[in-house]
Amino acid sequence: MEITRAAIACPLCRTITEELVYLVLSAQSPFPQREQVKDRWCPAGCHLLNPVRWRKEMPPLPGDAA
């Protein structure tokens, strides 16, 4: 299941970013077993207006090659 949720503050404009998160569910538990952040963006558009600076200043997503 994929959900969108609020994340950390954008380092460029301080707007709260949003994340697309994949949740791994289990029939044996009412809670997600694991989650993977697939994407992160700024609702103000900083990720589109300044993509190089955005990639430089944003922390990497879990699972990204560092």
Side-chain angles (χ1 to χ4, degrees):
M1 172 170 72
E2 289 184 346
I3 63 167
T4 302
R5 68 178 180 198
I8 62 175
C10 173
L12 306 180
C13 71
R14 307 312 297 168
T15 301
I16 300 299
T17 60
E18 294 185 5
E19 292 179 334
L20 178 63
V21 181
Y22 178 72
L23 299 175
V24 178
L25 304 176
S26 167
Q28 290 80 26
S29 173
F31 304 104
Q33 298 301 302
R34 174 171 43 113
E35 65 180 40
Q36 177 184 6
V37 180
K38 296 178 80 174
D39 195 14
R40 185 182 295 139
W41 64 92
C42 177
C46 294
H47 65 293
L48 300 173
L49 297 172
N50 301 305
V52 173
R53 188 169 169 214
W54 168 265
R55 283 190 301 274
K56 180 180 173 189
E57 295 192 25
M58 282 302 289
L61 295 175
D64 279 355

Coordinates of all heavy atoms in Angstrom, one line a residue:
M1 N 0.9 -1.2 0.0 CA 0.0 0.0 0.0 C 0.9 1.2 0.0 O 1.9 1.3 0.7 CB -0.9 0.0 1.2 CG -1.7 1.3 1.4 SD -2.9 1.2 2.7 CE -2.0 1.2 4.2
E2 N 0.5 2.2 -0.8 CA 1.3 3.5 -0.8 C 0.5 4.6 -0.2 O -0.7 4.7 -0.4 CB 1.6 3.9 -2.3 CG 2.7 3.0 -2.9 CD 3.1 3.5 -4.3 OE1 2.4 4.3 -4.9 OE2 4.1 3.0 -4.7
I3 N 1.2 5.4 0.6 CA 0.5 6.6 1.2 C 1.4 7.8 1.0 O 2.6 7.7 0.7 CB 0.3 6.4 2.7 CG1 1.6 6.2 3.5 CG2 -0.6 5.2 3.0 CD1 1.5 6.4 5.0
T4 N 0.8 9.0 1.1 CA 1.6 10.2 1.1 C 1.5 10.8 2.5 O 0.4 10.9 3.1 CB 1.0 11.2 0.1 OG1 1.0 10.6 -1.2 CG2 1.8 12.5 0.0
R5 N 2.6 11.3 3.0 CA 2.6 11.9 4.4 C 3.5 13.1 4.4 O 4.4 13.3 3.6 CB 3.0 10.8 5.4 CG 4.4 10.4 5.3 CD 4.8 9.5 6.4 NE 6.2 9.1 6.2 CZ 6.8 8.0 6.8 NH1 6.0 7.2 7.5 NH2 8.0 7.8 6.6
A6 N 3.3 13.9 5.5 CA 4.2 15.0 5.7 C 5.6 14.5 6.2 O 5.6 13.5 6.8 CB 3.6 16.0 6.8
A7 N 6.6 15.2 5.8 CA 8.0 14.8 6.2 C 8.7 15.9 6.8 O 8.2 16.6 7.7 CB 8.7 14.3 4.9
I8 N 10.0 16.1 6.4 CA 10.9 17.1 7.0 C 10.7 18.4 6.4 O 10.1 18.5 5.3 CB 12.3 16.6 7.0 CG1 12.8 16.5 5.5 CG2 12.5 15.3 7.7 CD1 14.2 16.1 5.4
A9 N 11.2 19.5 7.0 CA 11.2 20.8 6.4 C 12.1 20.9 5.2 O 13.2 20.4 5.2 CB 11.5 21.9 7.4
C10 N 11.7 21.6 4.1 CA 12.5 21.8 3.0 C 13.7 22.7 3.4 O 13.5 23.8 4.0 CB 11.7 22.5 1.9 SG 12.6 23.0 0.4
P11 N 14.9 22.4 3.0 CA 16.1 23.2 3.4 C 16.1 24.5 2.6 O 16.8 25.4 3.0 CB 17.3 22.3 3.1 CG 16.8 21.4 2.0 CD 15.4 21.2 2.3
L12 N 15.4 24.6 1.5 CA 15.4 25.8 0.7 C 14.4 26.9 1.1 O 14.6 28.1 1.0 CB 15.2 25.4 -0.8 CG 16.2 24.4 -1.4 CD1 15.9 24.1 -2.8 CD2 17.6 24.8 -1.2
C13 N 13.2 26.4 1.5 CA 12.1 27.4 1.8 C 11.4 27.1 3.1 O 10.5 27.9 3.5 CB 11.1 27.4 0.7 SG 10.0 25.9 0.6
R14 N 11.8 26.1 3.8 CA 11.2 25.7 5.2 C 9.8 25.2 5.1 O 9.1 25.0 6.1 CB 11.3 26.8 6.2 CG 12.7 27.4 6.3 CD 13.8 26.4 6.5 NE 13.7 25.6 7.7 CZ 14.4 24.5 8.0 NH1 15.3 24.1 7.1 NH2 14.3 23.8 9.1
T15 N 9.2 25.0 3.9 CA 7.9 24.3 3.8 C 8.0 22.9 4.2 O 9.1 22.3 3.9 CB 7.4 24.5 2.3 OG1 7.3 25.8 2.0 CG2 6.0 23.8 2.1
I16 N 7.0 22.3 4.8 CA 7.1 20.9 5.1 C 6.9 20.1 3.8 O 6.0 20.2 3.0 CB 5.9 20.5 6.1 CG1 6.0 21.3 7.4 CG2 5.9 19.0 6.3 CD1 7.3 21.0 8.1
T17 N 7.9 19.2 3.6 CA 7.9 18.4 2.4 C 6.9 17.2 2.5 O 6.4 16.9 3.6 CB 9.3 17.8 2.1 OG1 9.7 17.0 3.2 CG2 10.3 18.9 1.9
E18 N 6.7 16.5 1.4 CA 5.8 15.4 1.4 C 6.6 14.2 0.9 O 7.5 14.3 0.1 CB 4.6 15.6 0.5 CG 3.7 16.7 1.1 CD 2.4 16.9 0.3 OE1 2.1 16.1 -0.6 OE2 1.6 17.8 0.6
E19 N 6.2 13.0 1.4 CA 6.9 11.7 1.0 C 5.8 10.8 0.5 O 4.7 10.7 1.0 CB 7.5 11.1 2.2 CG 8.7 11.8 2.8 CD 9.2 11.1 4.0 OE1 8.5 10.3 4.7 OE2 10.4 11.3 4.3
L20 N 6.2 10.0 -0.5 CA 5.5 8.8 -1.0 C 6.1 7.6 -0.3 O 7.3 7.4 -0.5 CB 5.5 8.7 -2.5 CG 4.8 7.5 -3.1 CD1 3.3 7.6 -2.8 CD2 5.1 7.4 -4.6
V21 N 5.3 6.9 0.5 CA 5.8 5.8 1.3 C 5.1 4.5 0.9 O 3.9 4.5 0.8 CB 5.6 6.1 2.8 CG1 6.2 5.0 3.6 CG2 6.3 7.4 3.2
Y22 N 5.9 3.5 0.7 CA 5.3 2.1 0.5 C 5.3 1.4 1.8 O 6.4 1.2 2.4 CB 6.1 1.4 -0.6 CG 5.7 0.0 -0.9 CD1 4.5 -0.2 -1.6 CD2 6.4 -1.1 -0.4 CE1 4.0 -1.5 -1.8 CE2 6.0 -2.4 -0.6 CZ 4.8 -2.6 -1.3 OH 4.3 -3.9 -1.5
L23 N 4.1 0.9 2.2 CA 4.0 0.2 3.5 C 3.8 -1.3 3.2 O 2.9 -1.6 2.3 CB 2.8 0.7 4.3 CG 2.8 2.2 4.7 CD1 1.5 2.5 5.4 CD2 4.0 2.4 5.6
V24 N 4.5 -2.1 3.8 CA 4.4 -3.6 3.7 C 3.5 -4.0 4.8 O 3.8 -3.9 6.0 CB 5.7 -4.3 3.7 CG1 5.5 -5.8 3.7 CG2 6.6 -3.8 2.6
L25 N 2.3 -4.5 4.5 CA 1.4 -5.0 5.5 C 1.4 -6.5 5.7 O 1.9 -7.2 4.8 CB 0.0 -4.5 5.1 CG -0.2 -3.1 4.8 CD1 -1.6 -2.8 4.3 CD2 0.1 -2.2 6.0
S26 N 0.9 -6.9 6.8 CA 0.8 -8.4 7.1 C -0.6 -8.7 7.6 O -1.2 -7.9 8.3 CB 1.9 -8.7 8.2 OG 1.7 -10.0 8.7
A27 N -1.0 -9.9 7.2 CA -2.3 -10.4 7.7 C -2.3 -10.7 9.2 O -3.4 -10.7 9.8 CB -2.8 -11.6 6.9
Q28 N -1.1 -10.9 9.7 CA -1.0 -11.3 11.2 C -0.9 -10.0 12.1 O -1.0 -10.2 13.3 CB 0.2 -12.1 11.4 CG 0.1 -13.5 10.8 CD 0.4 -13.5 9.3 OE1 1.1 -12.7 8.8 NE2 -0.2 -14.5 8.6
S29 N -0.8 -8.8 11.5 CA -0.6 -7.7 12.4 C -1.4 -6.5 11.8 O -1.4 -6.3 10.6 CB 0.9 -7.3 12.4 OG 1.1 -6.1 13.1
P30 N -2.0 -5.7 12.7 CA -2.7 -4.5 12.2 C -1.8 -3.3 11.9 O -2.2 -2.3 11.3 CB -3.6 -4.1 13.4 CG -2.9 -4.6 14.6 CD -2.1 -5.9 14.1
F31 N -0.5 -3.5 12.2 CA 0.5 -2.4 11.9 C 1.4 -2.8 10.7 O 1.6 -3.9 10.5 CB 1.3 -2.2 13.2 CG 0.5 -1.8 14.4 CD1 0.3 -2.8 15.4 CD2 -0.1 -0.6 14.5 CE1 -0.4 -2.5 16.5 CE2 -0.8 -0.3 15.6 CZ -1.0 -1.2 16.6
P32 N 1.8 -1.8 10.0 CA 2.8 -2.0 8.9 C 4.0 -2.7 9.4 O 4.5 -2.4 10.5 CB 3.1 -0.7 8.3 CG 2.0 0.2 8.8 CD 1.5 -0.3 10.1
Q33 N 4.5 -3.7 8.7 CA 5.7 -4.4 9.1 C 7.0 -3.7 8.7 O 8.0 -3.8 9.3 CB 5.7 -5.8 8.4 CG 4.6 -6.7 8.9 CD 4.6 -6.9 10.4 OE1 5.5 -7.4 11.0 NE2 3.5 -6.4 11.0
R34 N 6.9 -2.9 7.6 CA 8.1 -2.2 7.1 C 7.6 -1.1 6.2 O 6.5 -1.2 5.7 CB 8.9 -3.3 6.3 CG 10.0 -2.8 5.6 CD 10.8 -4.1 5.0 NE 10.0 -5.1 4.5 CZ 9.9 -5.4 3.2 NH1 10.7 -4.8 2.3 NH2 9.1 -6.4 2.7
E35 N 8.4 -0.1 6.0 CA 8.1 1.0 5.1 C 9.3 1.4 4.3 O 10.4 1.3 4.8 CB 7.5 2.2 5.8 CG 8.4 2.9 6.8 CD 7.8 4.1 7.5 OE1 6.6 4.0 7.8 OE2 8.5 5.1 7.6
Q36 N 9.0 1.9 3.1 CA 10.1 2.3 2.2 C 9.7 3.7 1.6 O 8.7 3.8 1.0 CB 10.3 1.3 1.1 CG 11.4 1.8 0.1 CD 11.5 0.8 -1.0 OE1 10.8 -0.2 -1.1 NE2 12.5 1.0 -1.9
V37 N 10.5 4.7 1.9 CA 10.2 6.0 1.3 C 10.7 6.0 -0.2 O 11.8 5.8 -0.5 CB 11.0 7.2 2.1 CG1 10.7 8.5 1.4 CG2 10.6 7.1 3.5
K38 N 9.7 6.2 -1.1 CA 10.0 6.1 -2.5 C 10.3 7.4 -3.1 O 11.1 7.5 -4.1 CB 8.8 5.4 -3.2 CG 8.6 4.0 -2.7 CD 7.4 3.4 -3.4 CE 7.8 3.0 -4.8 NZ 6.7 2.2 -5.5
D39 N 9.8 8.5 -2.6 CA 10.0 9.8 -3.2 C 9.7 10.9 -2.2 O 9.0 10.7 -1.2 CB 9.1 10.0 -4.4 CG 9.5 11.2 -5.3 OD1 10.6 11.7 -5.2 OD2 8.7 11.5 -6.2
R40 N 10.3 12.1 -2.4 CA 10.1 13.2 -1.5 C 10.1 14.5 -2.4 O 10.9 14.6 -3.3 CB 11.2 13.3 -0.5 CG 11.0 14.4 0.6 CD 12.2 14.5 1.5 NE 12.3 13.3 2.3 CZ 13.5 12.7 2.6 NH1 14.6 13.2 2.2 NH2 13.5 11.6 3.4
W41 N 9.2 15.4 -2.1 CA 9.1 16.6 -2.8 C 8.7 17.8 -2.0 O 8.1 17.6 -0.9 CB 8.2 16.4 -4.1 CG 6.8 16.2 -3.7 CD1 5.8 17.1 -3.6 CD2 6.2 14.9 -3.4 NE1 4.6 16.5 -3.2 CE2 4.8 15.1 -3.1 CE3 6.7 13.6 -3.4 CZ2 4.0 14.1 -2.8 CZ3 5.8 12.6 -3.1 CH2 4.5 12.8 -2.8
C42 N 8.9 19.0 -2.5 CA 8.4 20.2 -1.8 C 7.2 20.7 -2.5 O 7.2 20.9 -3.7 CB 9.5 21.3 -1.9 SG 9.1 22.8 -1.1
P43 N 6.1 20.9 -1.7 CA 4.8 21.4 -2.3 C 5.0 22.8 -2.9 O 4.3 23.2 -3.8 CB 3.9 21.5 -1.1 CG 4.4 20.6 -0.1 CD 5.9 20.6 -0.3
A44 N 6.0 23.6 -2.5 CA 6.3 24.9 -3.1 C 7.0 24.8 -4.4 O 7.2 25.8 -5.1 CB 7.1 25.7 -2.1
G45 N 7.5 23.6 -4.8 CA 8.2 23.5 -6.1 C 9.7 23.6 -6.1 O 10.3 23.7 -7.1
C46 N 10.3 23.7 -4.9 CA 11.8 23.9 -4.8 C 12.5 22.7 -5.6 O 13.5 23.0 -6.2 CB 12.2 23.9 -3.4 SG 11.6 25.4 -2.5
H47 N 12.0 21.5 -5.5 CA 12.6 20.4 -6.2 C 12.6 20.5 -7.7 O 13.4 19.9 -8.4 CB 11.9 19.1 -5.7 CG 10.5 19.0 -6.2 ND1 9.5 19.8 -5.7 CD2 9.9 18.1 -7.1 CE1 8.4 19.4 -6.3 NE2 8.6 18.4 -7.1
L48 N 11.7 21.4 -8.2 CA 11.6 21.6 -9.7 C 12.4 22.9 -10.1 O 13.0 22.9 -11.1 CB 10.2 21.8 -10.1 CG 9.3 20.5 -9.9 CD1 7.8 20.9 -10.2 CD2 9.7 19.4 -10.7
L49 N 12.3 23.9 -9.2 CA 13.0 25.2 -9.5 C 14.5 25.1 -9.3 O 15.2 25.8 -10.1 CB 12.4 26.3 -8.7 CG 10.9 26.6 -8.9 CD1 10.4 27.5 -7.8 CD2 10.7 27.1 -10.3
N50 N 15.0 24.4 -8.3 CA 16.4 24.3 -8.0 C 16.8 22.8 -7.8 O 17.2 22.4 -6.7 CB 16.7 25.1 -6.8 CG 16.4 26.5 -6.9 OD1 16.8 27.2 -7.8 ND2 15.5 27.0 -5.9
P51 N 16.7 22.0 -8.9 CA 17.0 20.5 -8.7 C 18.4 20.2 -8.2 O 18.5 19.3 -7.3 CB 16.7 19.9 -10.0 CG 16.8 21.0 -11.0 CD 16.4 22.3 -10.2
V52 N 19.4 20.9 -8.6 CA 20.8 20.6 -8.2 C 20.9 20.9 -6.7 O 21.4 20.1 -5.9 CB 21.8 21.3 -9.0 CG1 23.2 21.1 -8.5 CG2 21.7 20.9 -10.5
R53 N 20.5 22.1 -6.3 CA 20.6 22.5 -4.9 C 19.7 21.6 -4.0 O 20.1 21.2 -2.9 CB 20.2 24.0 -4.8 CG 20.5 24.5 -3.4 CD 20.3 26.0 -3.4 NE 20.3 26.5 -2.0 CZ 19.6 27.5 -1.5 NH1 18.9 28.2 -2.4 NH2 19.7 27.8 -0.3
W54 N 18.5 21.2 -4.5 CA 17.6 20.3 -3.8 C 18.3 19.0 -3.5 O 18.3 18.6 -2.3 CB 16.4 20.1 -4.6 CG 15.5 19.0 -4.1 CD1 15.5 17.7 -4.5 CD2 14.5 19.1 -3.1 NE1 14.5 17.0 -3.9 CE2 13.9 17.9 -3.0 CE3 14.0 20.2 -2.3 CZ2 12.8 17.6 -2.1 CZ3 13.0 19.9 -1.5 CH2 12.4 18.6 -1.3
R55 N 18.9 18.4 -4.5 CA 19.6 17.1 -4.3 C 20.8 17.2 -3.3 O 21.1 16.3 -2.6 CB 20.0 16.5 -5.6 CG 18.9 15.9 -6.4 CD 19.4 15.1 -7.6 NE 20.2 15.9 -8.6 CZ 19.7 16.6 -9.5 NH1 18.4 16.7 -9.7 NH2 20.4 17.3 -10.4
K56 N 21.5 18.4 -3.4 CA 22.6 18.6 -2.6 C 22.3 18.8 -1.1 O 22.9 18.3 -0.2 CB 23.4 19.8 -3.1 CG 24.6 20.2 -2.3 CD 25.3 21.4 -2.8 CE 26.4 21.8 -1.9 NZ 27.0 23.1 -2.3
E57 N 21.2 19.5 -0.8 CA 20.9 19.9 0.5 C 19.9 18.9 1.2 O 19.8 18.9 2.5 CB 20.3 21.3 0.6 CG 21.4 22.3 0.2 CD 21.0 23.7 0.5 OE1 20.2 23.9 1.4 OE2 21.5 24.6 -0.2
M58 N 19.1 18.1 0.5 CA 18.2 17.2 1.1 C 19.0 15.9 1.5 O 19.8 15.4 0.8 CB 17.1 16.8 0.1 CG 16.0 17.8 -0.1 SD 15.2 18.2 1.4 CE 14.2 16.8 1.7
P59 N 18.6 15.4 2.7 CA 19.2 14.1 3.1 C 18.8 13.0 2.1 O 17.7 13.1 1.6 CB 18.7 13.9 4.5 CG 17.5 14.8 4.7 CD 17.7 15.9 3.7
P60 N 19.6 12.0 1.9 CA 19.2 11.0 1.0 C 18.0 10.2 1.5 O 17.9 10.1 2.8 CB 20.5 10.1 0.8 CG 21.3 10.4 2.0 CD 20.9 11.8 2.4
L61 N 17.3 9.6 0.6 CA 16.2 8.7 1.1 C 16.8 7.4 1.6 O 17.8 7.0 1.1 CB 15.2 8.4 -0.1 CG 14.5 9.6 -0.7 CD1 13.7 9.2 -1.9 CD2 13.5 10.2 0.3
P62 N 16.1 6.8 2.5 CA 16.6 5.5 3.0 C 16.7 4.5 1.8 O 15.8 4.5 1.0 CB 15.6 5.0 4.0 CG 14.9 6.3 4.4 CD 15.0 7.2 3.3
G63 N 17.8 3.8 1.6 CA 18.0 2.9 0.5 C 18.7 3.5 -0.7 O 19.0 2.8 -1.6
D64 N 18.8 4.8 -0.7 CA 19.6 5.5 -1.8 C 21.0 5.2 -1.7 O 21.6 5.1 -0.6 CB 19.4 7.0 -1.8 CG 18.1 7.5 -2.5 OD1 17.4 6.6 -3.0 OD2 17.8 8.7 -2.4
A65 N 21.7 5.0 -2.8 CA 23.2 4.8 -2.8 C 23.8 6.1 -2.4 O 23.6 7.1 -3.0 CB 23.6 4.3 -4.1
A66 N 24.6 6.1 -1.4 CA 25.3 7.3 -0.9 C 26.6 7.5 -1.5 O 27.2 6.8 -2.1 CB 25.5 7.2 0.6

